[in-house]
Amino acid sequence: MDSRRPPLAPACPTLPEYVRHWAKTTPDRRAFTFVEHPAPHSRGIHRTLTWRRLDVRVRALAARLADESGPGDRVALLCPQGTEYVAAFLAALSAGLVAVPLYTPGLPGHADRLAGVLADARPSVVVTTSRARDEVRDFLGAGGPRIVVADEVPDDDGLDRQPAPLAPGAPAYLQYTSGSTRAPAGVEISHGNVVANARQALAAYGLDTRPMTSVGWLPLYHDMGLVLSVAAPVARGALSVLMDPAAFLHEPVRWLRLLAAHPHAVSAAPNFAYDYCVATVTAEQRESLRLDRVTALINGSEPVRPGTADRFHAAFADQGLAPGTHCPSYGLAEATVFVCAARPGEPLSRFALDRDALTAGKALPARPDDPRAVLLTGCGTPAGQRVRVADPVTRVPLPEGEVGEIWVQGPNVGRGYWNRDSEEVFGAEFAVAAAGPGRWLRTGDLGTVLEGQLVVTGRLKDLIIVDGRNHYPQDVEASAQEAHEAVRRDRLAAFAVPGAAGGECAVVVAEHARTAHLAELDVAALVRAVRGAVSARHGLRLADVVVVPPGTVPRTSSGKVSRALTRARYLEGAYGGQARTGAAI
C-alpha cells in the first residue's frame, strides 16, 4: 500500500519557519481562536491570535525559554487548553528546545501519570499560565524545574531575538503515548517528522488544495489534537478554532455549533464522541445547526464502528450533514499520528467478516445480517507513506485478506523512544529484504488489507487467547454492551487473566449507565445477559463479570479505556467490593 502526494508550498522545513512565513505574508489573518465557555450555558467567548500576534508571542516566549535552559533541554507544557498552549509549544521548538506536551495537574485521574512522565522526561523548565501557576507549583514541589508563566512574559522579550538554527532531523518534541496497553513512553518526534505528517494529513483529506478551518476539542497534549489543531493549520496557514475538552463533555452541541459556524470545517473525535452527540443533543438544539459546510469528520478510534457513523449521520442529516464527511482513519504516536485515512466524499467502506475465521487470522466475508459476523470499517489508504501487514513472528509480509501486524515506513515515523531501547519497534526488517527494504515501524496493531484498504482488527498485546482461540477484546466489549441497556457504552474492558489450570480466561469489567442506580439494578440479570451474549457470539465463557459505578474503569490521557490498567487493578483486587458474580477462575 503506497501513496505519494506533491508537497505543499511553501515547503518550510520546520513549524516555526511556517509561523514566520505567514506572519510576513498574511499578518492580519486569524491564526488561532480559543472559544472559552465560562458559564454552564455560555455560547462562548472568542479569543483570537492573528499570525502577526502569534509570531510576536512565539518570539517572546522562545527568548525567555532560551534564557532559562540550554540547547536540547526538555520544556514541559503544563498549560490549560488555549492559545497560550499553542504559543508555548511553538516557542519551545523555535528556541531549539524539546517540547513535552502535557496538561495541568488538575486533570482528574491523571496525576500519577503526569508525575511519571515528568520523572522520565526530566524537563529543565515547565511552562504554565497564571491561572494554573499555583497548582503547578504545588505539584512540582520544592527543587522542581523552573516555571515560566507564559501570559506574563512581555512581548519585548523577543524584540532582539534571532531564531535558533533548526535541523529537520533534530528532536522537536516528545509525544508520550497514551498508555492504553503499557506504561507511557515518549516518542521522539523530529521537526521533519511533524512537518511531513502535517503535509500528509492535509493531502489525505484534500486540504492542501482547498480552504479549511480546523475545529477541535481534542486535548493538545494528545497526538491527534496536536497535529490536526496545531501542526496542520500552521503548515497550511489556516485558521484553527479550539475549545476545551471539558466544555465538549459538558455540552457537546458546542462542538457542533463551531462546526456550523466555520466554513470548510475539519475535525476529529473518537468513536464515543459521535455516539455522545447523538444521545445528548436535543431536537431543539439541532434546529439551529447547519452542518452542510463540514468537509471532514475524522474518526481515529480502534475500532471505528460503522454503526456509530450511521447513527451520527441519521441524527444530523436534516441539518445538511453530507454522508461522505465521516472519514475513518488510523494512526499512532510512533508515526507522529496519521498513517491511513479515508477520503472525504467517499462512502463508508464496510466489511462483514466471519468471526471464527478472523480469530484464526483470516478475513473471510460473512453476511452482514449474520449475528456472528464482525462488522468493521476500512480506514482508507496510506497518507504519503508505506504500509504492510506482516506475520509478527516470522516477519514475512502477508497477502490481502490475512491478518497480521501493521508495519509502517515513512518520513513521519519518529526517531525512537526517549531514553529507551527502541530498535525492536522502530528498526524492524522483513525476513525477505525485497519484500520491503529498509527499517520499519512495528505498530503492535493487528489488521489486514481488503479491497485496497487497511482494516484494523485490534491490538496484538490485547488479544484474549483462551483454549488456543484468539478473541479481540473490542469485539467482546461490543457484544457485552449490546447485551443489556444498563451497560455503559464504551466504558468497559475485556481482558485475559491467568486461569486455575495454567491457561488464560476472560474477564469483563463494565460500568453501569449513569441513568441506572446500582442499588436498584438487577446485577444478576445484567451479568446473565452479558455472559449469554458473549457465549453465543464468540463461543467464549467469561470467568468473571464485574459491574462498577460510572467513572471507575480507568482511561488513558486520550480518553480511551485502559485495558492494561483495568486488568492490573482487577488482579490487585481493586474491584472486590463492587457488584459482581462469583468468579469462576
Side-chain angles (χ1 to χ4, degrees):
M1 300 177 71
D2 298 323
S3 175
R4 294 176 175 86
R5 298 275 181 151
L8 289 172
C12 298
T14 69
L15 293 182
E17 288 186 54
Y18 273 112
V19 172
R20 293 193 291 272
H21 168 80
W22 299 121
K24 181 179 180 180
T25 58
T26 60
D28 297 322
R29 280 176 49 202
R30 292 179 296 165
F32 288 89
T33 294
F34 179 66
V35 183
E36 187 176 2
H37 297 86
H41 299 292
S42 169
R43 300 283 292 198
I45 299 172
H46 292 59
R47 307 183 190 281
T48 297
L49 292 180
T50 62
W51 287 106
R52 177 194 284 122
R53 184 71 187 140
L54 176 64
D55 184 50
V56 167
R57 294 308 300 153
V58 168
R59 289 175 183 271
L61 282 168
R64 176 64 63 87
L65 292 174
D67 290 342
E68 296 285 347
S69 54
D73 280 4
R74 273 77 58 207
V75 176
L77 309 180
L78 273 64
C79 302
Q81 189 103 330
T83 54
E84 293 92 351
Y85 199 118
V86 176
F89 172 74
L90 293 168
L93 272 58
S94 183
L97 305 171
V98 181
V100 186
L102 292 169
Y103 41 84
T104 59
L107 185 67
H110 293 287
D112 289 345
R113 179 183 183 275
L114 179 59
V117 169
L118 290 173
D120 184 69
R122 302 191 302 276
S124 61
V125 177
V126 165
V127 182
T128 189
T129 64
S130 54
R131 191 175 77 184
R133 170 175 39 201
D134 291 345
E135 67 172 317
V136 168
R137 182 184 289 123
D138 291 345
F139 185 82
L140 296 176
R146 294 180 294 280
I147 297 176
V148 170
V149 182
D151 51 324
E152 294 182 356
V153 175
D155 294 348
D156 291 349
D157 278 16
L159 289 179
D160 301 322
R161 177 188 176 271
Q162 294 300 315
L166 302 175
Y173 62 99
L174 301 182
Q175 180 65 66
Y176 274 83
T177 59
S178 59
S180 58
T181 58
R182 54 177 165 78
V187 183
E188 289 191 40
I189 303 297
S190 72
H191 290 279
N193 291 151
V194 66
V195 168
N197 205 226
R199 292 175 181 167
Q200 289 165 339
L202 291 168
Y205 300 111
L207 307 174
D208 52 344
T209 57
R210 57 175 152 173
M212 67 166 283
T213 303
S214 176
V215 176
W217 57 266
L218 292 179
L220 297 181
Y221 56 79
H222 185 245
D223 49 10
M224 178 77 83
L226 190 63
V227 172
L228 189 65
S229 292
V230 179
V234 166
R236 187 68 177 87
L239 172 64
S240 179
V241 180
L242 304 167
M243 62 181 288
D244 193 278
F248 165 76
L249 292 173
H250 178 77
E251 196 171 352
V253 73
R254 291 167 169 167
W255 175 45
L256 303 182
R257 286 173 181 154
L258 290 180
L259 289 172
H262 294 89
H264 315 291
V266 177
S267 193
N271 207 83
F272 89 86
Y274 296 101
D275 278 326
Y276 187 44
C277 287
V278 173
T280 59
V281 175
T282 66
E284 182 180 0
Q285 289 172 333
R286 291 179 195 179
E287 289 179 1
S288 63
L289 298 173
R290 291 305 309 167
L291 300 175
D292 53 308
R293 299 188 296 175
V294 176
T295 296
L297 293 175
I298 300 164
N299 187 335
S301 298
E302 299 165 14
V304 179
R305 299 193 179 105
T308 296
D310 293 341
R311 286 189 293 271
F312 187 81
H313 284 94
F316 299 102
D318 288 345
Q319 282 65 52
L321 186 68
T325 55
H326 210 82
C327 298
S329 304
Y330 166 73
L332 68 164
E334 287 81 354
T336 307
V337 63
F338 288 97
V339 174
C340 284
R343 277 43 176 178
E346 297 180 356
L348 207 67
S349 294
R350 306 163 186 271
F351 299 97
L353 304 178
D354 182 271
R355 180 173 280 110
D356 292 335
L358 199 60
T359 61
K362 303 286 185 181
L364 299 180
R367 295 194 321 274
D369 58 349
D370 187 335
R372 290 182 54 79
V374 178
L375 303 179
L376 296 175
T377 303
C379 291
T381 54
Q385 51 206 291
R386 306 179 74 197
V387 174
R388 298 284 185 270
V389 175
D391 185 301
V393 177
T394 65
R395 295 181 293 114
V396 172
L398 298 174
E400 183 165 322
E402 292 197 23
V403 177
E405 185 181 18
I406 301 168
W407 288 24
V408 177
Q409 185 185 71
N412 54 301
V413 173
R415 294 159 42 101
Y417 293 122
W418 158 255
N419 211 22
R420 299 189 186 200
D421 182 9
S422 307
E423 190 66 17
E424 182 180 349
V425 175
F426 289 85
E429 295 181 356
F430 282 103
V432 181
R439 294 158 58 88
W440 291 73
L441 167 68
R442 296 187 64 165
T443 68
D445 291 318
L446 293 169
T448 186
V449 176
L450 295 173
E451 299 177 9
Q453 294 211 28
L454 180 69
V455 179
V456 181
T457 59
R459 289 283 299 174
L460 185 60
K461 292 182 179 179
D462 277 348
L463 274 181
I464 300 171
I465 306 174
V466 176
D467 296 331
R469 296 184 68 223
N470 296 339
H471 301 274
Y472 293 98
Q474 71 272 13
D475 197 15
V476 175
E477 290 158 5
S479 298
Q481 72 183 17
E482 292 165 7
H484 197 285
E485 60 183 8
V487 177
R488 192 179 179 197
R489 298 190 68 87
D490 297 317
R491 292 295 184 269
L492 68 167
F495 49 87
V497 296
E504 287 192 330
C505 54
V507 169
V508 167
V509 175
E511 294 182 7
H512 64 74
R514 290 191 179 277
T515 54
H517 299 285
L518 191 58
E520 303 170 0
L521 185 63
D522 188 342
V523 175
L526 184 155
V527 169
R528 284 195 301 272
V530 169
R531 284 186 183 276
V534 171
S535 176
R537 280 193 169 188
H538 307 274
L540 176 65
R541 177 174 176 268
L542 293 176
D544 199 6
V545 177
V546 186
V547 183
V548 298
T552 305
V553 174
R555 288 184 284 166
T556 69
S557 60
S558 61
K560 299 177 182 177
V561 166
S562 175
R563 298 186 186 103
L565 186 52
T566 308
R567 179 181 185 274
R569 290 184 179 178
Y570 176 87
L571 292 174
E572 292 167 358
Y575 304 118
Q578 309 293 351
R580 63 191 297 165
T581 64
I585 300 173

